[in-house]
């Protein structure tokens, strides 16, 4: 039965015509492509010991297939990247934060270099459980820089979650034990966890216990953590509340501090919009 089925398939293949306009038959009786002048047929030995012709891909068809496969693979990679960014919990406003779009000046060029080097050396940073603490005044580019790191690594197939403690606490509201453990496991399992705006969360016992738990889980898992905060190092070092003290002690142990200074980008952009609008209104 199997032999008969195989024979039927082979017979159908043998009777298929692969000829297209411009194709021609060579001296050995095999079909050639009229475009690339390579074979579109070859001879094989049939189960009944006869020699028959079957179709093969010519060179230009192979290249066409390779191009199609490459395009489909690229589309699949882009779909996977979009899904990875959704899974990363990243705010939509940060999806297009990249080093290429980074507006560098004398004040932040060092930050660009630090962040870029962190990405380039991420394998070693990961092995050493080395994170970053980006601190400084509001609007100086801390969150944008952290998002650039997250997007760069996502583009290079590194698992990243970028979120904030405020959002984490909102997500965990109403979770039962099983859901909370699954959520915490996700935050612990990714190669890099980026948490924006440390210090903006509520200072309740529940909230601070969860914050400490997330930081401590990364520490115990030996995986890096990047944090941004508007707090100064002095404020974090001088805290006399044991709840905050143990959080900050863990952070200082895991994260290299980088200070962001200068005029707020948001204030600068607001001032520029004001001047542009003023000129339009006053003619």
């Amino acid at each position: 039965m199997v032999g008969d089925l195989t024979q039927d398939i082979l017979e159908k293949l043998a009777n298929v015509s692969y000829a297209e306009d411009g194709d021609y038959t060579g001296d050995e009786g095999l079909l050639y492509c009229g475009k690339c002048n390579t074979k579109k047929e070859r001879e094989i030995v049939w189960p009944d010991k006869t020699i028959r012709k079957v179709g093969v891909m010519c060179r230009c068809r192979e290249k066409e297939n390779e191009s199609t496969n490459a395009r489909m693979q690229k589309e699949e990679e882009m779909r996977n990247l979009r899904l990875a960014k959704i899974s990363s919990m990243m705010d939509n406003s940060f999806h297009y934060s990249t080093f290429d779009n980074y507006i560098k000046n004398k004040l932040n060029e060092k930050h660009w270099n630090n962040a870029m080097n962190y990405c380039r050396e991420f394998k070693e940073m990961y092995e050493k459980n080395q994170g970053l603490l980006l601190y400084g005044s509001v609007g100086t580019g801390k969150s944008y820089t952290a998002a650039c790191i997250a997007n760069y690594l996502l583009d290079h197939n590194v698992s990243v979650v970028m979120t904030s403690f405020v959002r984490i606490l909102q997500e965990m509201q109403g979770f039962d034990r099983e859901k909370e453990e699954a959520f915490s496991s996700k935050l612990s399992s990714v190669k890099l966890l980026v948490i924006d705006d440390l210090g903006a969360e509520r200072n309740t016992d529940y909230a601070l216990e969860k914050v400490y738990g997330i930081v401590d889980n990364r520490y115990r898992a030996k995986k890096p953590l990047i944090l941004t905060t508007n707090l100064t190092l002095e404020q974090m070092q001088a805290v006399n509340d044991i709840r905050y003290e143990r959080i900050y002690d863990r952070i200082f142990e895991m994260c290299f501090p980088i200070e962001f200074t200068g005029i707020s980008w948001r204030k600068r952009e607001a001032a520029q919009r004001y001047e542009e609008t003023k000129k339009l209104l006053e003619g």
Side-chain angles (χ1 to χ4, degrees):
M1 179 69 179
V2 175
D4 292 342
L5 180 59
T6 302
Q7 183 69 27
D8 289 343
I9 293 172
L10 291 173
E11 290 290 347
K12 289 178 181 178
L13 288 173
N15 293 323
V16 172
S17 175
Y18 302 96
E20 297 176 322
D21 290 343
D23 292 349
Y24 61 94
T25 302
D27 294 338
E28 71 275 60
L30 298 176
L31 184 67
Y32 278 72
C33 174
K35 297 177 182 177
C36 65
N37 299 311
T38 58
K39 292 178 182 178
K40 297 183 73 172
E41 288 180 330
R42 70 184 181 93
E43 292 180 332
I44 65 170
V45 179
W46 228 241
D48 62 4
K49 306 304 180 183
T50 60
I51 296 176
R52 301 197 188 184
K53 300 172 187 175
V54 294
V56 295
M57 279 194 288
C58 62
R59 189 172 300 148
C60 62
R61 181 57 61 87
E62 284 181 350
K63 289 182 178 179
E64 184 181 318
N65 280 5
E66 288 172 1
S67 177
T68 299
N69 291 337
R71 177 177 53 79
M72 292 176 66
Q73 183 179 348
K74 185 65 177 178
E75 290 174 354
E76 180 66 18
E77 288 173 357
M78 294 304 294
R79 279 194 295 271
N80 290 339
L81 179 57
R82 284 194 292 271
L83 289 173
K85 287 190 176 181
I86 293 170
S87 177
S88 76
M89 298 171 61
M90 187 183 298
D91 189 281
N92 289 339
S93 62
F94 289 130
H95 279 185
Y96 302 100
S97 301
T98 66
F99 288 111
D100 289 338
N101 296 331
Y102 206 103
I103 302 174
K104 288 188 285 185
N105 56 40
K106 291 181 180 179
L107 291 174
N108 67 17
E109 187 172 4
K110 185 177 180 180
H111 301 149
W112 186 94
N113 288 328
N114 287 334
M116 190 74 249
N117 287 332
Y118 184 86
C119 291
R120 288 170 177 158
E121 303 297 332
F122 183 73
K123 182 179 179 182
E124 184 172 350
M125 297 294 178
Y126 179 76
E127 290 171 352
K128 292 182 176 179
N129 184 24
Q130 182 60 63
L132 300 175
L133 174 63
L134 312 183
Y135 72 96
S137 52
V138 175
T140 48
K142 304 180 299 294
S143 300
Y144 188 90
T145 302
C148 286
I149 293 173
N151 282 319
Y152 180 97
L153 293 176
L154 282 168
D155 286 344
H156 289 76
N157 299 315
V158 175
S159 58
V160 180
V161 162
M162 179 172 180
T163 184
S164 67
F165 283 125
V166 171
R167 182 172 177 181
I168 288 172
L169 294 169
Q170 289 173 344
E171 291 272 352
M172 294 176 74
Q173 281 183 355
F175 276 3
D176 58 23
R177 183 174 180 179
E178 185 178 348
K179 285 185 177 179
E180 184 172 323
E181 287 179 353
F183 186 72
S184 297
S185 176
K186 177 181 179 180
L187 298 181
S188 298
S189 64
V190 293
K191 284 198 167 183
L192 178 65
L193 177 61
V194 181
I195 297 184
D196 192 34
D197 211 9
L198 169 68
E201 66 281 347
R202 292 172 297 170
N203 62 352
T204 63
D205 287 340
Y206 170 82
L208 295 179
E209 186 64 33
K210 297 303 178 188
V211 169
Y212 176 75
I214 291 164
V215 173
D216 190 56
N217 284 344
R218 294 295 296 182
Y219 175 81
R220 294 181 184 279
K222 299 188 185 321
K223 292 183 177 180
L225 173 68
I226 292 179
L227 295 138
T228 76
T229 183
N230 296 330
L231 300 170
T232 65
L233 289 184
E234 290 74 18
Q235 287 173 317
M236 288 185 277
Q237 290 167 342
V239 69
N240 55 15
D241 185 327
I242 188 64
R243 299 174 304 170
Y244 286 102
E245 187 175 344
R246 64 180 189 153
I247 293 172
Y248 297 152
D249 281 350
R250 270 285 185 261
I251 290 171
F252 292 144
E253 190 173 352
M254 297 171 65
C255 301
F256 181 84
I258 299 175
E259 185 178 13
F260 282 64
T261 58
I263 302 171
S264 165
W265 281 95
R266 289 191 284 274
K267 288 182 179 178
R268 185 183 296 133
E269 288 174 356
Q272 183 177 344
R273 285 198 303 271
Y274 173 85
E275 292 298 329
E276 290 172 352
T277 304
K278 183 179 178 182
K279 288 179 181 178
L280 289 172
L281 294 175
E282 295 180 356

